[in-house]
Amino acid sequence: MDKKITDPNHIRPNFQNVPFWNPTKIHDHEIGKKIHRMDLNECPYPPSQKVIEAMQSVAGTLNRYPDGTCPELTPLIADRVGVPIDTITWGGGSTQLLTSIAEISVAPGQNLVTPHLIWRRFEGVFKIVDASVTSVPNKVDGGIDVEALTNAIGNDTRLLICVTPNNPTGMMLSEDEIRHVSENTPENVLLFVDEAYHEFAVHAGGPNALEILKERKGPWVITRTFSKAYALAGVRLGYAICSSPETVNALRMVSSTFNLNGFAETAAVAAWHDPDYTQFILDKNAEERDRIIAGLQDMGYEPMPSVTNFVSCDIGRPGAEVVTAMRERGLRIATVGGNDFTNFIRVSMGIPEDTDAFLENLKAVLG
Ligand SMILES: Cc1ncc(COP(=O)(O)O)c(C=O)c1O
């Protein structure tokens, strides 16, 4: 072998020197200590008892591969949201679907349009597909600028991304804004709406994005998840509702054949059949959100008007410093990221005791 080596690196340029960030890591000195986990927008309550029992009942079948098309769960959802069964597909968390959606729509070098301030995982997705990314600044209040977004669509654009309610702002698009995006995204562009916080938006009286997208002529996909309002982040189950079976087939093609775990469908069916528990989660979340917003306002801050299970707020000094100081006190909260939002922190809703600890410690840290 005397072939001339032109590129000695076996890793694609986009993945070289990318530091791995493990958001769930517990540091050695934290082991065994009380930690208020308010950084990952998780549900602070365990899955419902019915879900736990249902999962126990299938534990003995885990020697078999599960049916990743979720034949029992799909018709339940299709019926509730009014779409054909063959327009829904599943991912190992909606996180997996984000990558798949970009993979099926944008070839390397083609363009995608995205708001600048969205969930940070999208940065990884953009590296994977190697797209040209048009990142559209958010409005001053952090909201997604839908006009600027659709104006940024060019001839090479194949994917337009919206997140509503958005992470890290917690703010949702209005009915008019969703309609604007739907009507002004050309028919050769896949319109992707990430609705990981859908149930919280509905609870807050938000618009029905799906009904608006159903009127759209061009292709669209909406993703939702069982991680948040159904208290099932650990089973990793999300779904995509698509404008056509063709999109579903493409998404299945790029996901692994056995991309779900053997507990996921059973857990989700049980959660779906336990709406009282979901209602409990949503009600409790709204109570703690109100308390956190009021507490921050009492301290003289103006939190973003979140409808979700987290609240972001400008605290007038680098958010990263406050996150570190809070972690030393046993509270995990997050930064917000984005060029114009470095003085913000993001806190996920917990149980009442977490809210108390958050407000008390934040006061101490901010002096
Ligand atoms: C906007 C957004 N989309 C998707 C996800 C991923 O959720 P999951 O993969 O648990 O379904 C998150 C998680 O926090 C999120 O904030």
Side-chain angles (χ1 to χ4, degrees):
M1 283 259 292
D2 58 351
K3 280 196 178 145
K4 199 163 166 256
I5 295 172
T6 50
D7 180 359
N9 205 315
H10 66 291
I11 310 283
R12 276 174 55 194
N14 279 2
F15 304 127
Q16 288 168 17
N17 306 316
V18 184
F20 175 63
W21 171 65
N22 177 2
T24 50
K25 185 174 168 57
I26 295 173
H27 300 308
D28 287 347
H29 68 271
E30 294 172 333
I31 293 171
K33 292 208 181 121
K34 167 92 185 147
I35 294 183
H36 298 271
R37 211 163 137 145
M38 304 175 82
D39 55 343
L40 297 177
N41 304 344
E42 298 160 319
C43 175
Y45 299 97
S48 87
Q49 197 50 38
K50 288 180 188 159
V51 169
I52 294 170
E53 281 161 21
M55 288 174 76
Q56 282 165 343
S57 76
V58 291
T61 68
L62 293 186
N63 52 317
R64 301 295 181 191
Y65 291 113
D67 182 341
T69 65
C70 294
E72 195 185 341
L73 182 56
T74 305
L76 295 175
I77 293 181
D79 187 47
R80 169 87 58 86
V81 303
V83 299
I85 288 172
D86 58 4
T87 57
I88 295 179
T89 189
W90 298 91
S94 57
T95 307
Q96 185 189 34
L97 292 162
L98 312 184
T99 308
S100 302
I101 288 164
E103 282 173 328
I104 63 162
S105 55
V106 195
Q110 282 184 332
N111 176 260
L112 65 83
V113 174
T114 175
H116 172 66
L117 189 65
I118 51 171
W119 186 38
R120 73 180 74 188
R121 171 62 201 159
F122 277 97
E123 281 167 33
V125 172
F126 302 156
K127 281 182 188 290
I128 292 168
V129 291
D130 213 359
S132 106
V133 177
T134 304
S135 179
V136 178
N138 293 54
K139 295 189 285 192
V140 181
D141 69 357
I144 292 176
D145 187 339
V146 291
E147 278 195 26
L149 205 63
T150 52
N151 285 343
I153 296 171
N155 286 341
D156 276 345
T157 306
R158 291 292 173 271
L159 177 67
L160 185 127
I161 297 170
C162 266
V163 186
T164 185
N166 193 8
N167 177 8
T169 64
M171 290 151 66
M172 59 183 166
L173 294 176
S174 69
E175 190 171 330
D176 284 350
E177 287 172 320
I178 299 167
R179 187 157 282 121
H180 172 91
V181 177
S182 180
E183 287 174 2
N184 292 282
T185 301
E187 283 178 42
N188 65 339
V189 176
L190 178 61
L191 170 55
F192 167 29
V193 181
D194 176 333
E195 280 198 318
Y197 302 94
H198 164 72
E199 294 80 6
F200 299 91
V202 172
H203 188 262
N208 189 332
L210 177 59
E211 288 310 312
I212 298 170
L213 261 58
K214 280 180 187 170
E215 290 164 21
R216 174 174 152 72
K217 288 204 189 76
W220 52 266
V221 51
I222 282 181
T223 52
R224 294 181 183 167
T225 182
F226 277 85
S227 295
K228 313 286 181 185
Y230 296 94
L232 286 174
V235 306
R236 313 301 306 119
L237 187 68
Y239 57 103
I241 308 171
C242 305
S243 51
S244 71
E246 202 185 341
T247 312
V248 162
N249 287 341
L251 288 174
R252 286 185 178 155
M253 162 84 196
V254 296
S255 317
S256 144
T257 309
F258 301 115
N259 60 333
L260 305 187
N261 71 72
F263 286 118
E265 183 182 22
T266 305
V269 168
W272 193 260
H273 287 312
D274 196 356
D276 290 349
Y277 194 70
T278 309
Q279 191 62 40
F280 160 82
I281 288 170
L282 294 169
D283 291 344
K284 287 284 167 204
N285 178 74
E287 279 171 26
E288 295 315 303
R289 191 178 59 219
D290 287 349
R291 287 188 62 213
I292 293 230
I293 289 177
L296 287 165
Q297 285 167 340
D298 284 350
M299 292 163 69
Y301 299 108
E302 274 184 57
M304 286 173 154
S306 170
V307 296
T308 60
N309 63 347
F310 58 88
V311 171
S312 294
C313 186
D314 185 347
I315 33 94
R317 70 175 80 171
E321 287 174 13
V322 177
V323 168
T324 306
M326 291 288 272
R327 183 138 188 173
E328 277 160 17
R329 291 165 164 265
L331 281 109
R332 281 173 37 177
I333 60 169
T335 53
V336 160
N339 299 341
D340 302 325
F341 300 89
T342 46
N343 279 355
F344 282 65
I345 52 166
R346 191 196 69 189
V347 58
S348 313
M349 300 311 97
I351 59 174
E353 181 198 324
D354 296 319
T355 304
D356 297 340
F358 168 74
L359 292 172
E360 195 183 311
N361 282 282
L362 190 69
K363 256 181 223 153
V365 165
L366 295 178

